[in-house]
Amino acid sequence: MTNEELMGITALNSWKLVVGRFDQGLAALTDEQLQTQVAPGKNRLFYLVGHLTAVHDRLFPLLGIGKRLHPELDETYITNPDKTIADPLAPADLRKAWADVNSKLTAAFEKFTPADWLQKHTAVSDEDFAKDPTRNRLAVVMSRTNHASFHSGQSVLAK
Amino acid sequence: MTNEELMGITALNSWKLVVGRFDQGLAALTDEQLQTQVAPGKNRLFYLVGHLTAVHDRLFPLLGIGKRLHPELDETYITNPDKTIADPLAPADLRKAWADVNSKLTAAFEKFTPADWLQKHTAVSDEDFAKDPTRNRLAVVMSRTNHASFHSGQSVLAK
């Protein structure tokens, strides 16, 4: 295996590990527990699952790897704070949306060559990317992995 | 720049971004605010700063890049839960320890070649590393970056 292939796999493993841990935490919670706030007056676990699902779903167009599966989640879980808009999906459907989005993303990342990882994401112009080639897909996936870790840290406080 | 160099820099940027954001949050807090718990009955911000400093300090021997700066933090902030042992450092000294550890680590990472990133860490045997070359320094740094994000997510709840 080449160095660049090994680096891509190492980054992919990091994504899988973080998403997998959130999966485990989610599987251990009842639908009722998903209504718990992570701290008094803060987001419900349900909101965080919706938020992470919507943010990850946005990776399809951002990375140029396909169409979104759940654009209906943005208004509730990205644009607005918790409890502003009624949850658009039932708990079982949100759990399925979370799983579907991540499994489809992971399958796409598993096929990435090093050159694929280093392609520009679609929110940066050709000109800006020429100046700064670190604005690539790898940077975006690392950023989303850290974002998922950020909210995972909050989620465990609800226990 | 080669693909492997670009991947190393992208990972380094992710580390810098997460540590830099935590730095900013920390700079905005008074010493008194550092005594706040992130949620009722949970860790104090002060404990989280001590914990992240100790965990990052352990990277020097784990990555084989030098001696630890603050081994005295482990018992209070890794081995034991919050409020078990009195804080060994005054707030100003803990802030300095956090800054020193991270700036020295970042300086070391900035000198890493792709081959340096892919060297084995010191907690894996030669035999196990031969079987699984993803147990490398890059994986460790990505893991610690996600760990810092995990506790950053908790820290912002104290506001």
Side-chain angles (χ1 to χ4, degrees), chain A residues 3-4 142 145-146 149 153-154, chain B residues 3-4 142 146 149 153-154:
Chain A
N3 282 349
E4 61 188 36
M142 283 185 189
T145 305
N146 277 292
S149 293
Q154 298 175 334
Chain B
N3 281 350
E4 60 188 37
M142 283 185 188
N146 276 293
S149 293
Q154 298 175 337

Side-chain angles (χ1 to χ4, degrees), chain B residues 54 57-58 67-76 78 101:
Chain B
D57 194 45
R58 285 184 167 190
K67 285 198 178 171
R68 297 193 54 177
L69 304 181
H70 291 284
E72 78 278 12
L73 299 177
D74 288 19
E75 201 185 349
T76 316
I78 295 184
V101 166

Side-chain angles (χ1 to χ4, degrees), chain A residues 52-103:
Chain A
L52 288 174
T53 304
V55 168
H56 289 189
D57 193 45
R58 283 183 169 192
L59 287 173
F60 292 110
L62 183 58
L63 302 178
I65 54 174
K67 285 198 178 171
R68 296 192 57 177
L69 304 182
H70 291 284
E72 79 277 12
L73 299 177
D74 288 20
E75 200 185 350
T76 317
Y77 302 114
I78 295 183
T79 314
N80 287 291
D82 195 10
K83 295 191 174 175
T84 313
I85 299 178
D87 296 309
L89 295 181
D93 295 328
L94 182 64
R95 288 175 191 269
K96 186 171 184 308
W98 160 259
D100 288 348
V101 166
N102 290 308
S103 66

Side-chain angles (χ1 to χ4, degrees), chain B residues 120-140:
Chain B
K120 80 177 194 70
H121 58 74
T122 62
V124 64
S125 69
D126 289 340
E127 193 184 354
D128 287 345
F129 186 63
K131 284 181 209 155
D132 182 3
T134 66
R135 298 179 72 175
N136 53 48
R137 286 163 159 177
L138 180 64
V140 171

Side-chain angles (χ1 to χ4, degrees), chain B residues 13-148:
Chain B
N13 282 351
S14 171
W15 160 267
K16 285 181 179 173
L17 194 71
V18 168
V19 170
R21 279 190 194 144
F22 196 88
D23 270 340
Q24 289 180 344
L26 184 55
L29 295 166
T30 64
D31 291 348
E32 197 170 51
Q33 286 173 320
L34 283 182
Q35 296 301 326
T36 314
Q37 291 175 319
V38 300
K42 306 294 181 180
N43 293 326
R44 291 167 305 142
L45 292 167
F46 198 96
Y47 182 88
L48 290 184
V49 180
H51 177 66
L52 288 175
T53 304
V55 168
H56 289 188
D57 194 45
R58 285 184 167 190
L59 287 173
F60 292 110
L62 183 58
L63 302 179
I65 54 175
K67 285 198 178 171
R68 297 193 54 177
L69 304 181
H70 291 284
E72 78 278 12
L73 299 177
D74 288 19
E75 201 185 349
T76 316
Y77 302 115
I78 295 184
T79 314
N80 288 290
D82 194 11
K83 295 192 174 173
T84 313
I85 299 178
D87 297 309
L89 296 181
D93 295 328
L94 181 64
R95 288 175 190 270
K96 188 174 182 308
W98 160 259
D100 288 349
V101 166
N102 289 308
S103 66
K104 198 176 168 187
L105 284 171
T106 301
F109 300 161
E110 283 175 337
K111 290 184 194 138
F112 276 5
T113 63
D116 289 334
W117 278 114
L118 294 172
Q119 272 190 35
K120 80 177 194 70
H121 58 74
T122 62
V124 64
S125 69
D126 289 340
E127 193 184 354
D128 287 345
F129 186 63
K131 284 181 209 155
D132 182 3
T134 66
R135 298 179 72 175
N136 53 48
R137 286 163 159 177
L138 180 64
V140 171
V141 175
M142 283 185 188
S143 169
R144 294 310 176 276
T145 306
N146 276 293
H147 175 256

Side-chain angles (χ1 to χ4, degrees), chain A residues 54-68 105 109 112 116 119-125 135-141 143-144:
Chain A
V55 168
H56 289 189
D57 193 45
R58 283 183 169 192
L59 287 173
F60 292 110
L62 183 58
L63 302 178
I65 54 174
K67 285 198 178 171
R68 296 192 57 177
L105 284 171
F109 300 162
F112 275 7
D116 288 335
Q119 272 188 34
K120 82 177 191 70
H121 58 74
T122 60
V124 63
S125 69
R135 298 179 72 176
N136 53 48
R137 286 164 160 175
L138 180 64
V140 171
V141 174
S143 169
R144 293 311 177 275

